[in-house]
Amino acid sequence: MNALGRHVLAEVYGCNRSILDDTVKVQQVMVNAALKAGADVREVAFHKFHPQGVSGVVVISESHVAVHTWPEYGYAAVDVFTCGTRVDPWDVMSSILRDLEAENYTATETRRGIFQEAGVQAAS
Amino acid sequence: MNALGRHVLAEVYGCNRSILDDTVKVQQVMVNAALKAGADVREVAFHKFHPQGVSGVVVISESHVAVHTWPEYGYAAVDVFTCGTRVDPWDVMSSILRDLEAENYTATETRRGIFQEAGVQAAS
């Protein structure tokens, strides 16, 4: 069986709340994490919510890195999807956890687009 | 317990391959799905790969809709993340499945950012 990609979803708690509410900083954290892990950044789209919170996505050649922040809870929902073998999604995630100054997190990895030789099969 | 959001990941097979390789059409499918389900579209970022494939994300007030296509397999990886109760992620997904002319799919829903009264707890 072959998976096209790996998708890591993380619940990230105890982050630095001022970073979580700063669109420029959140974007820097995400883009830097992608670049340091060897990804090619293709598109960037971030949005600031009022009174608080940031949502944003970095489209990379290898898929995407997305974040949604709730500064009032010190919480961020982060997902890192990479296809191919060149970029490890956990490298991207580790960098994000460090730069958001997270105290703790939970994360799961889902394999995406699994195919078997005889044809197309369900994934996960 | 309270979840901040619902995140549906779908492996979508047997799609119309010419749609999957057309950036404008894929973007239309995603944006229309979000709008029809009642979401507010905030940012849109799509990228065309060569020789084939499209990646894109629609940032919505309620979180995001992302897609990565492999026209050569008739396959798309789609994820719909909505926070709050106003937009049902399955409504967004249903519209995408129909407009990509999918023959079959598998999907899972993950609750994001689950908090308990006594404090912050792990999600799944």
Side-chain angles (χ1 to χ4, degrees), chain A residues 5-9 81 108-112 114 123-124, chain B residues 9 11 108 110:
Chain A
R6 304 163 67 189
H7 199 162
V8 178
L9 305 187
F81 183 4
T108 56
E109 177 178 329
T110 301
R111 297 173 68 202
R112 305 293 306 266
I114 295 175
S124 131
Chain B
L9 305 187
E11 318 304 319
T108 56
T110 300

Side-chain angles (χ1 to χ4, degrees), chain A residues 4 10-11 13 42-43 46-47 49 57 61 63-64 66 68 70 75 77-79 81 106 112-113 120-123, chain B residues 4 10-11 13 42-43 46-47 49 57 61 63-64 66 68 70 75 77-79 81 106 112-114 120-123:
Chain A
L4 292 174
E11 317 304 319
Y13 303 105
R42 299 295 191 159
E43 308 279 345
F46 278 74
H47 186 79
F49 293 99
V57 181
S61 295
S63 290
H64 74 252
H68 305 283
W70 281 260
Y75 165 77
V78 179
D79 71 277
F81 183 4
T106 60
R112 305 293 306 266
V120 171
Q121 294 292 323
Chain B
L4 291 174
E11 318 304 319
Y13 303 105
R42 298 294 191 160
E43 308 281 344
F46 278 74
H47 187 80
F49 292 99
V57 181
S61 294
S63 290
H64 74 252
H68 305 282
W70 280 259
Y75 166 77
V78 179
D79 72 277
F81 182 5
T106 60
R112 305 292 307 267
I114 296 175
V120 170
Q121 292 294 322

Side-chain angles (χ1 to χ4, degrees), chain B residues 67-121:
Chain B
V67 63
H68 305 282
T69 76
W70 280 259
E72 65 272 38
Y73 299 129
Y75 166 77
V78 179
D79 72 277
V80 179
F81 182 5
T82 62
C83 62
T85 56
R86 207 170 61 83
V87 178
D88 185 331
W90 294 98
D91 288 345
V92 182
M93 190 63 79
S94 296
S95 175
I96 293 168
L97 294 170
R98 184 181 61 245
D99 290 348
L100 294 180
E101 302 174 14
E103 289 174 357
N104 51 72
Y105 71 100
T106 60
T108 56
E109 177 179 330
T110 300
R111 297 174 71 203
R112 305 292 307 267
I114 296 175
F115 295 86
Q116 290 186 325
E117 279 178 27
V120 170
Q121 292 294 322

Side-chain angles (χ1 to χ4, degrees), chain B residues 13-92:
Chain B
Y13 303 105
C15 302
N16 180 318
R17 294 178 183 218
S18 71
I19 294 175
L20 290 190
D21 203 32
D22 185 323
T23 313
V24 173
K25 285 185 181 166
V26 172
Q27 181 171 326
Q28 282 174 344
V29 167
M30 298 298 137
V31 170
N32 288 344
L35 292 174
K36 280 192 291 189
D40 291 320
V41 172
R42 298 294 191 160
E43 308 281 344
V44 176
F46 278 74
H47 187 80
K48 176 80 174 75
F49 292 99
H50 296 282
Q52 54 194 348
V54 173
S55 278
V57 181
V58 181
V59 177
I60 56 179
S61 294
E62 299 78 9
S63 290
H64 74 252
V65 183
V67 63
H68 305 282
T69 76
W70 280 259
E72 65 272 38
Y73 299 129
Y75 166 77
V78 179
D79 72 277
V80 179
F81 182 5
T82 62
C83 62
T85 56
R86 207 170 61 83
V87 178
D88 185 331
W90 294 98
D91 288 345
V92 182

